[in-house]
Amino acid sequence: MTPKLEIITRLPPAGVARKPVPLLFVHGAFIGAWCWDEYFLAWFAARGYVTQAVSLRGHGQSEGHDHLDWWSIGDYVRDVRFVAAGMERPPVLIGHSMGGFVVQKCLEYAKDEPWPAAALLAAVPPHGLAASTMHLALARPDLFGEINRYMAGHAAHPDLLADVLFAHPMDEARLERYYGLMQGESSRALWDMSLFDLPRLYAMRVPPLLVMGAEADRLIPAAQVRATAGAYGVPAHVFPDMGHGMMLERDWLQVAEHLAAWLESLEL
């Protein structure tokens, strides 16, 4: 049974022609749907898209926090499919980081659910987290250690969030607010992304796919973004001078505009 899920919906304002295909945004690890509502949902709604963002079970205001470590990537996939089934038409799936991994897993169901398109932002690659984890451990052992302490339930300083997510200085009040919205993540889901439930490319019917990343990303390096694009036979677009938190970065509008232009080119 699917827990009660938080779904944030933003509709086109009055007088704006509605696009025929909606957008469904999927967040990454340790956060919730709020990350998309900061900028992206209203921005795309103003351009005619019905936009929704789901907090996966155990995240944001969704149910399931008491059993967070029980939840698997398969459970998160079920959440996305459940929300998509309630939309007027199959949506374009847009996932960031872990959410991008979940979107890839959703593509395994394309024969039953013909997704019109999908976009991956700094997504965990189809070969899993191992290479990215090793890169971080070697390049920034201090940061790697702090992240592991946070995952173990220890308090962390907001500066850790800034170091992990952003390439540019963040307003202190905004950073504190973001830090207050961060949360734990399912260890089971992290293991699934590392080894136990990697995307089955042979089972997919891949729709038009956009792969984007950030040059200053410490969690999913640009090389891993390019590897993801190569696995699917599409080009990668890597934004210079940008960190992992692409939808919250100072230059988030560059990401939104690139995504919007790609959507327009598809003529969905």
Side-chain angles (χ1 to χ4, degrees):
M1 181 177 177
T2 302
K4 185 177 180 181
L5 300 173
E6 176 189 27
I7 303 170
I8 303 175
T9 302
R10 302 297 175 213
L11 301 176
V16 174
R18 184 173 294 196
K19 304 284 188 183
V21 177
L23 309 179
L24 177 55
F25 293 84
V26 187
H27 65 81
F30 304 102
I31 54 176
W34 62 266
C35 69
W36 298 110
D37 201 34
E38 191 76 3
Y39 300 115
F40 269 50
L41 296 189
W43 191 88
F44 278 95
R47 280 144 189 82
Y49 292 98
V50 173
T51 62
Q52 290 193 337
V54 56
S55 285
L56 303 168
R57 65 185 69 191
H59 296 75
Q61 299 302 311
S62 291
E63 293 180 344
H65 285 264
D66 292 345
H67 307 297
L68 180 63
D69 276 331
W70 292 8
W71 306 134
S72 67
I73 288 295
D75 290 318
Y76 296 163
V77 169
R78 281 184 277 277
D79 293 343
V80 173
R81 296 176 68 201
F82 175 82
V83 175
M87 301 176 78
E88 291 183 2
R89 291 186 57 182
V92 175
L93 298 178
I94 302 165
H96 172 255
S97 195
M98 181 183 76
F101 189 91
V102 171
V103 166
Q104 292 172 72
K105 294 294 292 180
C106 286
L107 298 184
E108 296 176 5
Y109 297 89
K111 294 178 181 177
D112 303 316
E113 297 156 339
W115 309 109
L120 309 178
L121 284 68
V124 174
H127 53 266
L129 275 174
S132 299
T133 301
M134 183 63 69
H135 177 272
L136 180 63
L138 293 174
R140 288 291 305 274
D142 58 330
L143 187 56
F144 178 75
E146 284 300 309
I147 291 173
N148 279 291
R149 280 178 49 79
Y150 180 75
M151 289 171 57
H154 297 281
H157 193 276
D159 286 347
L160 172 65
L161 177 63
D163 208 8
V164 169
L165 292 183
F166 305 119
H168 300 280
M170 176 68 62
D171 172 80
E172 186 173 343
R174 186 180 294 273
L175 184 64
E176 289 279 357
R177 179 164 62 86
Y178 290 167
Y179 182 76
L181 292 168
M182 298 293 287
Q183 61 161 84
E185 186 50 68
S186 165
S187 297
R188 182 178 177 185
L190 294 173
W191 276 110
D192 282 347
M193 289 190 291
S194 299
L195 181 62
F196 296 117
D197 195 14
L198 301 182
R200 300 175 298 156
L201 274 65
Y202 64 87
M204 295 181 185
R205 182 178 297 169
V206 181
L209 184 68
L210 177 65
V211 176
M212 296 186 286
E215 195 67 53
D217 192 334
R218 297 181 177 87
L219 295 181
I220 307 295
Q224 295 298 308
V225 174
R226 295 186 178 99
T228 296
Y232 293 107
V234 299
H237 185 90
V238 177
F239 293 88
D241 200 26
M242 186 174 291
H244 184 70
M246 299 169 68
M247 79 293 284
L248 297 171
E249 266 279 32
R250 182 193 69 183
D251 297 327
W252 67 269
L253 187 57
Q254 293 181 21
V255 182
E257 288 177 338
H258 188 84
L259 175 57
W262 177 74
L263 290 169
E264 290 291 337
S265 74
L266 299 179
E267 299 181 351
L268 298 173

